[in-house]
């Protein structure tokens, strides 16, 4: 018996779960480093916060692409 024969259910859900790991780690790194940078240079709060939010938005876009991609490429 093949290993692939043992997989049942929607494989796209597994794919999205794996695709969400990267952005989840990215968001943690972005905010962790952002808080550390603000603690080191409080006078640069505005610039650090702006860059932190921009990085968050771009990282979350990857998660949304991972959510939408299985629906787009469903027939392929």
């Amino acid at each position: 018996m093949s290993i692939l024969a043992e997989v049942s259910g929607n494989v796209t859900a597994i794919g999205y779960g794996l695709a969400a790991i990267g952005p989840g780690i990215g968001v943690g790194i972005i905010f962790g480093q952002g808080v550390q940078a603000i603690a080191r240079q409080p006078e640069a709060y505005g610039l650090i916060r702006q860059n932190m939010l921009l990085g968050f938005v771009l990282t979350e876009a990857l998660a949304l692409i991972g959510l939408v991609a299985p629906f787009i490429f469903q027939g392929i």
Side-chain angles (χ1 to χ4, degrees), residues 10-63:
N10 194 356
V11 180
T12 58
I14 296 170
Y16 177 66
L18 293 174
I21 291 173
I25 293 171
V27 167
I29 290 172
I30 287 169
F31 283 106
Q33 295 295 322
V35 168
Q36 187 178 30
I38 291 170
R40 288 183 180 195
Q41 288 187 323
E43 66 275 2
Y45 173 77
L47 180 65
I48 294 169
R49 181 173 162 247
Q50 178 183 3
N51 290 332
M52 191 168 57
L53 291 177
L54 180 64
F56 170 72
V57 168
L58 293 174
T59 305
E60 281 300 312
L62 292 175

